[in-house]
Amino acid sequence: MNNTTKPNILFLLVDSLRSDKCYGQKKTSITPNLDNLIKKGVCFTQTVSSAPVTIPAISCIFTGQYPSKSVIRGGNRLKLNSEIPNFISLLKNCNYSTTAIIPKLLSLSGINDHFDNVIETPGHDGLYDGVGQKILDVFEETKLTKPWFFYVHMLDVHGTARGFPEKFNELKYGVNQYERMISSMDIWLGKIFQKINFENTLVVLTADHSSDVGIYTSEMESDKNTVNHDNMKTSLKLSGKLSSNLPDSFSPLKSKMKKFLVKRKEKIKTQKKFNKLEEINKKNLSPYEKRILKHSINPEYDVYDDRFIVPLVFSGCGINNHSIVEQQVRTIDVFPTIFDLVKISNNVESEGVSLLSILEGESMKELPAYMESIANWTKSTRTSDVIGIRYNQFKYFRSRDDEKKNIGLFNLNNDPLEECNLAQKQPEKIIEMEKILLSITSNNDEPKTESNEFRDLDEEKLVEAELKKLGYL
């Protein structure tokens, strides 16, 4: 196949997008452009990410490997392991021009190093903050050389929803702010789709990981905003106590004062969270409701479905079958499928497999989906540090270091909210699932440490603070 006949590839990744908010009865947003994309393609409703946060999740997508191989430690953060092959580099070797629009903070992950052209956007910006226009500019200014691969990473529904037109802030556009943001995003998706020729362009839409923010009620949104406001108020109040006019001779004292105020701030924030969590424990709620409420106050990284089930849509060139597929697949399967669809050889060693047979209407055996509660940053305290698998309608997880601790077993068919732990009732199922888990993790190690860490420690602290503010940490 020569360059002129190779399909172009538009890869749209919506950070933190839930699968059930793109298709199905739980969707309340208005998305005619997304609906049309799904109608003309194949939509997988049970796609499992390998990680609940961005850097390891997209590293898994781009390499087809689980986090133990796809990421390495770079100082206090994780980054893409450049020592193993990745699909972006392979596309370049196949004469694809590669362009990416990526949030600036993700440049720390090393992901943008593998593209020919990178357009960075401020970490907090969404489509209505200028990102949408940057995407259109790439098409309008003919910056894409055929055949092209164009990766777009959108943050509109990540963490606290970004700003969007006030007209969408109505119940008819969604039951919560998350879904109303999706409704507003759909306008931009329509503008993007108008710029491409679906006859020679493969469009892939997915997410890095999911988010429980998508199912917040208005009360939960209010509680979350209150906690954020109180934390900010506490920070400003304590920061104001530190005079910036102290003479240089007081610098040692000033340093100690800073440390004291930081500790005091964290103590106050921790106590406020504890009080909120105690209130939740006293409420007569289901285990699922309590878990979601607790996460809204004190987010944790775990392996429950609310953080892992993402949408996956293939549409455009090469897609002749139009269907909704409920069979479980994995995000590590995305690029092997793309390579089969565009008919180029794939010599990247990958844990993922091609889904081409399903796209062509044939059957395919379900494979176990590996999941772990990894964080973007190595010093994070927000992770329960568990690993697990999702397979044949069962979810099994346990402590990374001890198979006898933190065990969870759920029948997802009968218990989709993962409220009833069957670990004590079905020990034989635990044994079966543990064998499968071990077959996956037998070659897995902790992410390796990069030799060239941050040279400027102040830079690292500033970046870490910015990531915390934006919800990445």
Side-chain angles (χ1 to χ4, degrees):
M1 182 181 293
N2 59 46
N3 285 352
T4 58
T5 58
K6 288 179 181 177
N8 300 314
I9 305 167
L10 175 61
F11 195 115
L12 301 174
L13 186 141
V14 183
D15 200 306
S16 307
L17 184 60
R18 293 175 62 97
S19 177
D20 59 1
K21 299 304 178 181
C22 292
Y23 180 87
Q25 295 180 346
K26 294 182 179 180
K27 173 180 177 290
T28 64
S29 55
I30 299 176
T31 56
N33 295 298
L34 176 59
D35 296 346
N36 192 48
L37 184 76
I38 292 173
K39 182 179 179 180
K40 293 181 177 180
V42 176
C43 175
F44 292 87
T45 64
Q46 295 290 313
T47 305
V48 187
S49 175
S50 297
V53 291
T54 299
I55 294 175
I58 58 178
S59 295
C60 291
I61 293 174
F62 287 165
T63 64
Q65 297 284 359
Y66 295 125
S68 61
K69 293 182 180 179
S70 65
V71 293
I72 58 176
R73 301 184 190 279
N76 289 335
R77 72 197 187 285
L78 295 181
K79 65 179 296 184
L80 178 70
N81 185 357
S82 61
E83 296 181 1
I84 65 172
N86 64 73
F87 293 106
I88 306 303
S89 296
L90 182 54
L91 282 169
K92 290 167 65 175
N93 292 339
C94 295
N95 296 318
Y96 270 82
S97 68
T98 57
T99 299
I101 290 184
I102 298 179
K104 186 175 182 179
L105 287 171
L106 284 185
S107 64
L108 295 171
S109 69
I111 288 169
N112 59 346
D113 296 341
H114 299 274
F115 289 88
D116 294 317
N117 307 297
V118 175
I119 301 168
E120 293 184 347
T121 61
H124 60 282
D125 279 5
L127 291 170
Y128 283 92
D129 301 311
V131 175
Q133 189 57 51
K134 288 181 185 294
I135 297 170
L136 299 184
D137 288 345
V138 169
F139 291 106
E140 292 170 358
E141 296 173 12
T142 61
K143 293 180 179 179
L144 300 174
T145 303
K146 295 181 180 180
W148 49 259
F149 175 85
F150 185 16
Y151 173 74
V152 179
H153 193 122
M154 293 172 279
L155 285 175
D156 295 75
V157 295
H158 174 268
T160 303
R162 314 301 176 208
F164 58 97
E166 184 61 30
K167 71 175 184 178
F168 288 101
N169 200 20
E170 297 181 16
L171 188 60
K172 68 178 182 179
Y173 291 110
V175 297
N176 57 22
Q177 191 178 21
Y178 182 96
E179 292 215 48
R180 292 192 283 274
M181 177 60 81
I182 295 175
S183 293
S184 69
M185 285 182 64
D186 190 72
I187 302 297
W188 277 101
L189 290 180
K191 294 179 180 180
I192 294 169
F193 295 156
Q194 288 177 3
K195 297 295 182 180
I196 64 173
N197 181 353
F198 279 82
E199 292 184 0
N200 65 7
T201 304
L202 171 65
V203 179
V204 181
L205 185 144
T206 188
D208 46 357
H209 56 84
S210 189
S211 172
D212 52 14
V213 175
I215 55 173
Y216 281 5
T217 62
S218 57
E219 181 181 358
M220 292 170 68
E221 288 179 335
S222 177
D223 286 345
K224 181 70 171 178
N225 291 334
T226 299
V227 170
N228 290 339
H229 176 75
D230 288 346
N231 287 342
M232 181 62 70
K233 187 177 180 180
T234 299
S235 299
L236 292 173
K237 184 177 180 180
L238 291 175
S239 298
K241 293 182 178 181
L242 179 60
S243 172
S244 60
N245 298 319
L246 289 174
D248 292 340
S249 59
F250 277 63
S251 57
L253 176 61
K254 189 173 181 179
S255 176
K256 290 181 180 180
M257 290 175 67
K258 282 183 177 180
K259 291 181 180 179
F260 171 81
L261 291 174
V262 168
K263 289 183 179 179
R264 174 64 64 85
K265 179 179 69 174
E266 290 304 316
K267 183 177 180 180
I268 293 174
K269 288 169 62 177
T270 300
Q271 185 60 48
K272 287 184 176 181
K273 284 184 179 180
F274 177 80
N275 293 340
K276 281 280 187 180
L277 294 175
E278 283 295 293
E279 290 179 15
I280 293 171
N281 284 330
K282 294 177 182 179
K283 293 183 178 181
N284 185 24
L285 301 171
S286 70
Y288 176 74
E289 291 171 326
K290 284 186 176 181
R291 187 172 77 239
I292 298 301
L293 277 174
K294 287 179 179 179
H295 278 208
S296 70
I297 304 301
N298 188 34
E300 293 283 349
Y301 299 137
D302 50 41
V303 294
Y304 291 105
D305 275 5
D306 282 306
R307 296 283 304 195
F308 283 81
I309 307 301
V310 301
L312 176 58
V313 181
F314 293 93
S315 192
C317 182
I319 306 299
N320 300 314
N321 177 40
H322 310 305
S323 60
I324 303 298
V325 180
E326 297 182 354
Q327 177 178 323
Q328 173 179 292
V329 296
R330 297 88 51 89
T331 55
I332 58 173
D333 300 328
V334 173
F335 268 99
T337 306
I338 290 174
F339 275 62
D340 265 2
L341 283 169
V342 300
K343 296 180 172 59
I344 57 178
S345 299
N346 173 15
N347 56 11
V348 173
E349 183 181 346
S350 169
E351 295 285 352
V353 299
S354 172
L355 306 175
L356 184 61
S357 60
I358 298 179
L359 293 174
E360 294 178 342
E362 301 175 6
S363 62
M364 177 179 169
K365 182 180 178 181
E366 179 186 302
L367 296 174
Y370 173 76
M371 315 159 77
E372 63 174 274
S373 61
I374 192 170
N376 284 321
W377 290 73
T378 59
K379 292 185 178 180
S380 174
T381 59
R382 293 170 57 191
T383 171
S384 55
D385 202 23
V386 297
I387 58 175
I389 56 170
R390 196 179 190 274
Y391 183 53
N392 282 345
Q393 290 301 317
F394 273 88
K395 167 79 68 61
Y396 165 66
F397 59 81
R398 46 92 163 167
S399 170
R400 184 190 302 274
D401 301 319
D402 189 340
E403 64 183 57
K404 301 298 183 182
K405 293 182 179 180
N406 298 329
I407 300 176
L409 178 69
F410 300 92
N411 184 327
L412 301 175
N413 191 42
N414 301 330
D415 179 27
L417 299 181
E418 300 169 270
E419 295 182 296
C420 182
N421 192 341
L422 303 174
Q424 298 297 323
K425 297 180 180 180
Q426 297 190 25
E428 71 287 347
K429 194 67 179 180
I430 294 286
I431 295 173
E432 175 190 336
M433 299 292 277
E434 176 66 20
K435 287 180 179 179
I436 300 172
L437 179 61
L438 287 176
S439 69
I440 295 173
T441 60
S442 58
N443 295 322
N444 284 3
D445 299 312
E446 283 290 302
K448 296 181 176 61
T449 301
E450 183 187 33
S451 57
N452 295 320
E453 298 185 358
F454 272 110
R455 295 179 181 178
D456 185 349
L457 294 178
D458 289 335
E459 178 190 6
E460 181 174 1
K461 290 177 182 178
L462 288 172
V463 170
E464 187 170 0
E466 183 69 12
L467 282 172
K468 284 182 178 179
K469 182 174 70 175
L470 295 172
Y472 276 88
L473 182 62

